[in-house]
Each structure stands twice: as C-alpha cells, then as structure tokens.
Amino acid sequence: MYRFVPAHYVCPVEDLLNLPELNSRNIDFYIGDIDDTSVENSRKMFDFLATYGLIDNERVCPCGGQLSISRDKSAKHDLMEWRCNDCRKRGTVTKVSVRKGSFFQNMNLPIRKLFHIAAEWIENPGNSLESVAQSWGVNKNTVSELHERFRDLTHQWFERVAKDNVDFVLGGRGAIVEIDETSLFKAKHNRGRLLLKPTQWVFGMLERGTGKAYHIFT
C-alpha cells in the first residue's frame, strides 16, 4: 500500500470547512473511536488526515524508492510506519513516521487525544489547565504547550482569511472602533509588588454594534 487514499481523493485542507461542524460529539465519526486501539481504527484516522492534507498521503525514500505503509506495533500510538521496500532488498531498513512533516510531529500523544483536547479548547475555553490535564490523563505543561500551538494556528488562520474577507475588516465609513491597551500580570495569592511583576501588554480593538474585535500581544 503506497498511499492512504487514492490520489484524487486528496483535497485542500480548507475543504474541512465544508464538513458538518466538527465538535467533541461527532469527531469519532471521522477519526475513529478514541478507546479503540486497533490497526483498523488507526487506518480510518490516517485516511481522514491524508484526505485533507493534514499528513502526507505518499512519500519517496531518499534512495528514490517509493515508501509503502506497513503495520508496526513499535509505533506506540500510530501502529503504522512508512517503509522502503528497495532499501529492505539491499539489507537496510528505512522507516519514517506517518507524522513526519505534520503538525503532529514530535508530539508524544495519540492524535485522537490531541483532536479532543483541541475540541475542548474551542468549546470550553474557560477550563483550567489542571482540569483538562486531569480529564485526558496528560501533564499540565503538555496542555499549556498545546493551547499555545492552538492559539498560534488560530492567529495564522485569522490573518490569512482576513486579507481576502471584508467581514474581517474593522472600521469603515460610519463605523466606530474603540481602541485600548492594558497590561496583564499574575500575582501569587493576589499579593505582591505589582510594579515588580513581569507584565504582558495587550493592544485591542472593538467595533461598536458588530462585536468584531481584535487583540495582539505587544
């Protein structure tokens, strides 16, 4: 098997927006049951990811041979790896993670769990790091790093879409935009010398009557 899905199935990642709204309740329909650790369930997830360009659908080995997809139980969470048959015939082993070059590379968590943590971040942004970490059995620092990645992706998406969408532009004829800035800090037990605390300045804008807003850390 040299690709997850037929080449003509692969579509731009933006086509994800044409699917029914993805949420924590229906996401298993697309990527499989989070409690199912079978190879077949992993294949369902990778087929979905490859279809929307979230992982590579096919790969070429540095030797020039085409990599094939093989079952590999040593791939702790994925159960699959790319392997080169040409290298194997020459007595060498070339294995490449199916995550290589993707958002999921170097993340030591099941991809389904990452999706569910992302869905919770979108649906319940007020949940504490401790609560999310406990719910999904992961380290609090891991959750913090994931949330930072999610924020970066959201920012990149916003800037990309805003360039071509007038609805993302604030202001204009007859519109009033309120602008302000503030500094954020964290005081342990709500005590301490505030002027000595490290602060983060935030610049924000809000368009009256529409609810459109934007803020940036400075």
Side-chain angles (χ1 to χ4, degrees):
M1 188 173 69
Y2 293 101
R3 54 181 62 90
F4 285 106
V5 297
H8 63 277
Y9 281 18
V10 179
C11 56
V13 67
E14 285 78 13
D15 282 9
L16 280 168
L17 299 176
N18 297 327
L19 296 175
E21 183 178 356
L22 291 173
N23 55 61
S24 59
R25 296 173 298 282
N26 67 10
I27 201 168
D28 286 355
F29 174 79
Y30 297 100
I31 63 175
D33 187 345
I34 192 171
D35 296 319
D36 186 344
T37 59
S38 68
V39 173
E40 291 73 23
N41 200 45
S42 289
R43 174 65 192 275
K44 177 178 182 178
M45 175 182 66
F46 289 127
D47 285 356
F48 174 81
L49 298 179
T51 297
Y52 292 97
L54 298 174
I55 62 170
D56 286 331
N57 188 44
E58 53 186 310
R59 278 186 172 277
V60 176
C61 180
C63 77
Q66 190 170 16
L67 297 178
S68 62
I69 304 163
S70 303
R71 297 188 179 192
D72 190 342
K73 292 184 178 180
S74 67
K76 181 179 178 182
H77 299 303
D78 302 332
L79 304 181
M80 291 182 174
E81 296 270 13
W82 292 103
R83 291 188 182 183
C84 180
N85 293 328
D86 291 343
C87 288
R88 181 173 60 83
K89 293 174 182 177
R90 292 192 292 267
T92 60
V93 178
T94 298
K95 294 176 21 175
V96 180
S97 169
V98 293
R99 303 186 185 205
K100 185 174 176 60
S102 74
F103 172 79
F104 312 104
Q105 182 177 347
N106 298 326
M107 291 190 181
N108 191 27
L109 283 176
I111 292 177
R112 289 186 199 84
K113 185 172 289 190
L114 291 170
F115 266 89
H116 280 276
I117 293 175
E120 183 167 344
W121 177 74
I122 294 171
E123 296 169 9
N124 303 293
N127 282 0
S128 66
L129 296 178
E130 292 80 1
S131 174
V132 177
Q134 185 175 12
S135 296
W136 297 104
V138 297
N139 184 278
K140 185 178 75 171
N141 292 334
T142 299
V143 176
S144 178
E145 292 173 4
L146 286 176
H147 285 186
E148 183 65 28
R149 287 184 178 230
F150 299 155
R151 284 190 289 270
D152 288 342
L153 286 176
T154 304
H155 190 193
Q156 293 170 23
W157 172 84
F158 177 86
E159 290 191 334
R160 185 172 68 251
V161 174
K163 291 179 181 179
D164 304 314
N165 192 328
V166 67
D167 291 333
F168 281 78
V169 177
L170 275 69
R173 185 180 298 274
I176 298 177
V177 178
E178 299 178 20
I179 300 175
D180 202 354
E181 61 183 2
T182 187
S183 62
L184 305 177
F185 62 89
K186 183 177 181 180
K188 189 174 182 180
H189 305 307
N190 297 318
R191 296 180 180 179
R193 298 178 180 272
L194 301 185
L195 295 179
L196 300 180
K197 298 289 182 182
T199 61
Q200 174 68 67
W201 282 90
V202 181
F203 174 79
M205 297 179 287
L206 172 67
E207 184 176 294
R208 287 185 183 177
T210 66
K212 292 193 293 184
Y214 181 73
H215 73 269
I216 186 172
F217 292 104
T218 61

